[in-house]
């Protein structure tokens, strides 16, 4: 029997990607359609996947919805885990530890360095007792997502201090800040704003000790995603990139179709976009 953290579902998924040189998608969802779209795409592509929600879901839909997601994900015919993204409030992380998550991303980017280390380390230790692995952000990525407050100002991750920070906190996965932003990029996009050399140095400092997570992928070309993978990214967070066509379909067809038809077609459109990204990330066929 595997011991923690090797027994953890998210850990297994991300470390398989680390060993085999691909990335797995962390797909942000807001409703049942999103949950079904991820699982169906993963099963069709024979791909591992991570279903992600924000703390908004904890408060709006509640822990019973999280339990539904976990039950559906863990019943899939391929490895699928459930992850809570961007716990900006310590109270949300505490709440999440008593829910059915496989992993939690704690965001201490708004604290000073020592406060951030203390916060992340505390959640890592509490998570260990529950069998939950922890992702954390080092530095700060500006911008926002639907369901998250907008963050002003970036703070880039220092490659020189990253190994020490990971060792002091004990985090399992690291989300670095290297010019990536949440939400739309400024003019020039990721091609202009990503500091790829910084990402490469961060990966070089950590190796497989803490696989890297890419935040800020909208919009982001397939080629830039591959650049991230080539420089150590093993989990890629995806939200609007895979959701936009689904949202456009709902806006155009709501009121024209019966609700059952709207949901069935919507999930199909949503899952097709996810499948395309699974091919880009290299996760298709890995499960």
């Amino acid at each position: 029997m595997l011991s923690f953290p090797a027994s953890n579902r998210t850990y297994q998924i991300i470390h398989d990607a680390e060993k085999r040189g691909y990335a797995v998608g962390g797909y942000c969802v807001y409703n049942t359609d999103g949950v079904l779209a991820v699982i169906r795409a993963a099963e069709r592509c024979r791909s591992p996947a991570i279903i992600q929600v924000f703390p908004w879901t904890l408060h709006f839909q509640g822990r019973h919805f999280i339990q539904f997601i976990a039950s559906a994900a863990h019943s899939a015919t391929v490895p699928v885990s459930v992850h809570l993204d961007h716990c900006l409030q310590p109270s949300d992380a505490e709440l999440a530890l008593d829910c059915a998550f496989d992993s939690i991303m704690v965001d201490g980017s708004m604290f000073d360095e020592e406060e951030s280390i203390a916060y992340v380390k505390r959640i890592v230790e509490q998570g260990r007792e529950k069998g939950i692995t922890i992702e954390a952000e080092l530095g700060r990525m500006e911008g926002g997502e639907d369901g998250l407050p907008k963050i002003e100002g970036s703070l880039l991750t220092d490659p020189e201090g990253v190994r020490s920070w990971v060792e002091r906190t004990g985090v399992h996965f690291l989300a670095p800040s290297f010019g990536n932003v949440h939400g739309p990029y400024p003019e020039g996009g990721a091609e202009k704003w990503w500091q790829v050399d910084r990402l490469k140095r961060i990966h070089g400092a950590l190796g497989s000790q803490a696989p890297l997570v890419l935040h800020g992928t909208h919009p982001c070309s397939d080629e830039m995603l591959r650049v991230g993978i080539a420089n150590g990214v093993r989990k890629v967070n995806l939200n609007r990139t895979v959701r936009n066509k689904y949202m456009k379909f709902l806006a155009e067809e709501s009121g024209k179709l019966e609700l059952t038809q709207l949901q069935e077609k919507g999930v199909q459109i949503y899952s097709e976009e996810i499948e395309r990204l699974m091919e880009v990330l290299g996760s298709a066929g890995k499960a």
Side-chain angles (χ1 to χ4, degrees), residues 8-242:
N8 175 268
R9 188 177 288 251
T10 300
Y11 187 95
Q12 292 171 358
I13 289 171
I14 293 178
H15 275 269
D16 185 74
E18 175 68 27
K19 290 174 187 174
R20 299 166 72 184
Y22 66 94
V24 63
Y27 302 97
C28 299
V29 305
Y30 298 83
N31 57 15
T32 304
D33 288 1
V35 174
L36 295 177
V38 175
I39 293 172
R40 291 180 182 181
E43 290 184 327
R44 281 197 294 267
C45 286
R46 308 311 299 169
S47 169
I50 299 172
I51 297 175
Q52 302 192 160
V53 298
F54 293 129
W56 173 85
T57 295
L58 276 175
H59 299 290
F60 180 69
Q61 288 146 313
R63 65 174 65 228
H64 295 295
F65 188 69
I66 305 303
Q67 185 60 57
F68 155 72
I69 299 174
S71 178
H74 296 171
S75 298
T77 60
V78 293
V80 181
S81 69
V82 184
H83 177 82
L84 180 64
D85 198 23
H86 278 291
C87 274
L88 288 161
Q89 300 297 328
S91 59
D92 288 338
E94 299 282 356
L95 177 61
L97 288 166
D98 287 324
C99 294
F101 290 106
D102 297 296
S103 50
I104 298 170
M105 189 262 190
V106 290
D107 186 344
S109 63
M110 301 309 293
F111 302 140
D112 67 32
E113 183 176 356
E114 291 303 316
E115 287 178 324
S116 175
I117 289 171
Y119 167 45
V120 173
K121 183 178 180 180
R122 176 167 56 84
I123 300 303
V124 167
E125 291 172 350
Q126 292 176 323
R128 184 182 300 116
E129 296 174 5
K130 306 275 188 175
I132 298 171
T133 49
I134 305 299
E135 172 192 334
E137 179 175 329
L138 177 56
R140 185 185 310 120
M141 290 166 260
E142 67 178 285
E145 300 270 4
D146 188 4
L148 287 177
K150 186 173 182 179
I151 303 298
E152 300 289 349
S154 292
L155 180 63
L156 299 176
T157 303
D158 179 7
E160 300 301 321
V162 67
R163 188 176 185 88
S164 172
W165 193 91
V166 166
E167 290 174 347
R168 290 182 66 186
T169 58
V171 294
H172 303 98
F173 323 111
L174 184 76
S177 173
F178 58 96
N180 46 328
V181 300
H182 290 291
Y185 276 87
E187 185 177 352
E191 288 82 356
K192 176 180 178 180
W193 293 97
W194 281 15
Q195 296 183 20
V196 176
D197 183 63
R198 181 181 295 271
L199 176 63
K200 184 176 183 178
R201 290 167 60 207
I202 292 167
H203 176 52
L206 289 176
S208 61
Q209 182 180 5
L212 301 182
V213 180
L214 174 61
H215 290 240
T217 58
H218 178 73
C220 193
S221 68
D222 294 351
E223 180 55 35
M224 290 307 291
L225 294 179
R226 295 187 184 102
V227 167
I229 295 168
N231 288 280
V233 167
R234 296 296 172 247
K235 172 173 171 271
V236 175
N237 286 7
L238 294 157
N239 192 348
R240 293 184 187 274
T241 300
V242 295

Side-chain angles (χ1 to χ4, degrees), residues 243-254:
R243 191 166 52 87
N244 274 351
K245 287 187 178 179
Y246 161 79
M247 295 296 293
K248 183 174 184 289
F249 167 77
L250 293 186
E252 292 175 350
E253 300 300 327
S254 181

